């Protein structure tokens, strides 16, 4: 099925590309068993919408609830393994002259697969920050507090991710925008293309002349703007792309 979607014209473009940008979202980790952000949640979290938990306001109102949600997700991520979609992107990075991998995911699965210099636009679930000062904290203050406390100022710790209404890490955003302005091809993979500024990157690339390819079984706001849509799961489409290329 995946092979039928991949055109000879795309393979020719990829083979001749000087710089390819891949922008990934939660869909690429779905086949590793990590639920996508907008999937209905399960178990004790079924009554909450992820959008309502991933905000500084939610953490201020109920720090324990939000902390426990991230602890639950940390366990899911710890049990997950990178899938063939993650591995295919490692191969593209090794074989193309220039390849920039920008992810909205906080799960670290690209790095675990072997991708290098991954641009993490929305931070990392593995890190903690002081909620008051935003500084990274490796070891919390001793004690049983949930959330744990900052050893320097005693404020709650929070996960090192970017919540709605917060700024993205400026260096990461700058690297992503520079890549969008200089790439020949952008692959938008497994993202609903709803959350900005990440959702604007393929369109920025298109304005700078890039060819836009979307990999997603479901259509998104990007779909009408894409030059090519590979409407299948990333774990099938990307390995097939690599197989046909080399
Ligand atoms: C498969 C698959 C398979 C399934 N293979 N595919 C401009 C316009 C309008 C609003 C704004 C704007 N600029 C800023 C905003 C406000 C806001 C925003 O975008 N809101 C929109 C929702 C309207 N943005 C922000 O607040 C950002 N901050 C900011 O811009 O600061 C300045 C500012 C603030 C306020 C106003 C103006 C300026 C911060 C955004 C931070 C997002 N953080 C989160 C949480 C991270 C931590 C955590 O994980 O808990 O990041 S939200 C969540 O969405 C998470 C994701 O990274 C992100 C994107 O989700 P993603 O990856 O696309 O996942 P899903 O679940 O949505 O989609 C999965 C897709 O996979 C689906 O399409 C499936 O079909 C597909 N799929 N299986 C391939 N096997």
């Amino acid at each position: 099925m995946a092979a039928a979607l991949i055109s000879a014209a795309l393979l020719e473009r990829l083979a001749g590309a000087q710089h390819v940008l891949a922008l990934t979202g939660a869909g690429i980790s779905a086949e590793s068993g990590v639920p996508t952000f907008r999937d209905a949640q399960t178990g004790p979290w079924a009554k909450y919408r992820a959008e309502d938990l991933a905000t500084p306001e939610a953490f201020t109102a109920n720090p324990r609830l939000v902390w426990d949600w991230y602890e639950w997700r940390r366990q899911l991520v710890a049990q997950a393994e990178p899938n063939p979609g993650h591995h295919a992107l490692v191969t593209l990075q090794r074989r193309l002259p220039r390849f920039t991998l920008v992810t909205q995911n906080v799960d670290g699965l690209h790095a675990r697969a072997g991708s290098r210099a991954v641009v993490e636009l929305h931070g990392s679930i593995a890190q903690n920050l002081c909620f008051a000062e935003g500084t990274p904290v490796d070891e919390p203050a001793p004690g049983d507090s949930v959330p744990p406390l900052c050893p320097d100022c005693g404020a709650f710790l929070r996960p090192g991710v970017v919540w709605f209404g917060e700024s993205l890490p400026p260096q990461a955003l700058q690297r992503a925008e520079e890549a969008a302005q200089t790439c020949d091809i952008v692959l938008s993979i497994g993202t609903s293309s709803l959350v900005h500024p990440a959702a604007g990157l393929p369109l920025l690339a298109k304005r700078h002349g890039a060819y836009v390819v979307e990999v997603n079984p479901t259509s998104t706001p990007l779909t009408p703007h894409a030059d090519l849509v590979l409407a299948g799961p990333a774990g099938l489409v990307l390995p097939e792309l690599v197989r046909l290329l080399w």
Side-chain angles (χ1 to χ4, degrees):
M1 186 275 290
L5 299 170
I6 297 166
S7 64
L10 172 62
L11 295 173
E12 207 172 301
R13 273 181 191 275
L14 275 168
Q18 288 306 305
H19 183 189
V20 173
L21 164 63
L23 169 68
T24 64
I28 195 165
S29 295
E31 290 158 85
S32 294
V34 181
T36 67
F37 197 78
R38 284 168 183 79
D39 266 352
Q41 301 207 80
T42 54
W45 304 103
K47 58 178 181 269
Y48 300 100
R49 279 163 22 105
E51 293 94 317
D52 297 332
L53 294 171
T55 70
E57 293 78 14
F59 187 76
T60 303
N62 196 338
R64 171 148 204 164
L65 175 81
V66 174
W67 181 266
D68 284 348
W69 181 54
Y70 280 96
E71 285 293 282
W72 174 74
R73 291 176 56 202
R74 280 173 169 152
Q75 283 173 20
L76 280 180
V77 166
Q79 289 158 11
E81 293 294 333
N83 67 56
H86 296 104
H87 291 299
L89 294 182
V90 176
T91 307
L92 286 179
Q93 185 170 47
R94 287 199 184 126
R95 301 214 179 167
L96 291 170
R98 188 174 169 204
F99 181 84
T100 305
L101 177 54
V102 175
T103 189
Q104 299 167 81
N105 298 345
V106 298
D107 58 30
L109 287 177
H110 285 303
R112 280 172 54 195
S115 288
R116 286 173 289 106
V118 182
V119 180
E120 291 183 315
L121 282 182
H122 294 164
S124 163
I125 203 168
Q127 262 196 348
N128 286 319
L129 305 175
C130 168
F131 186 52
E133 290 161 355
T135 44
V137 175
D138 293 331
E139 278 296 319
D144 297 331
S145 169
V146 182
L149 304 176
C150 173
D152 294 330
C153 73
F156 283 135
L157 298 189
R158 55 160 288 177
V161 301
V162 181
W163 283 328
F164 284 115
E166 295 185 320
S167 299
L168 276 62
Q171 246 193 329
L173 184 57
Q174 196 183 344
R175 282 177 64 198
E177 287 175 343
E178 190 272 333
Q181 287 163 7
T182 55
C183 67
D184 316 304
I185 301 182
V186 56
L187 306 172
S188 175
I189 303 162
T191 172
S192 56
S193 296
L194 290 171
V195 176
H196 291 267
L201 291 169
L203 297 173
L204 176 64
K206 192 175 171 96
R207 286 198 298 278
H208 282 77
Y211 186 78
V212 178
V213 181
E214 183 175 51
V215 180
N216 196 320
T218 309
S219 68
T220 74
L222 178 66
T223 308
H225 306 281
D227 296 296
L228 182 69
V229 178
L230 302 176
L236 283 182
V237 171
L238 296 176
E240 191 59 14
L241 194 59
V242 165
R243 189 184 71 79
L244 292 170
L245 265 171
W246 295 292

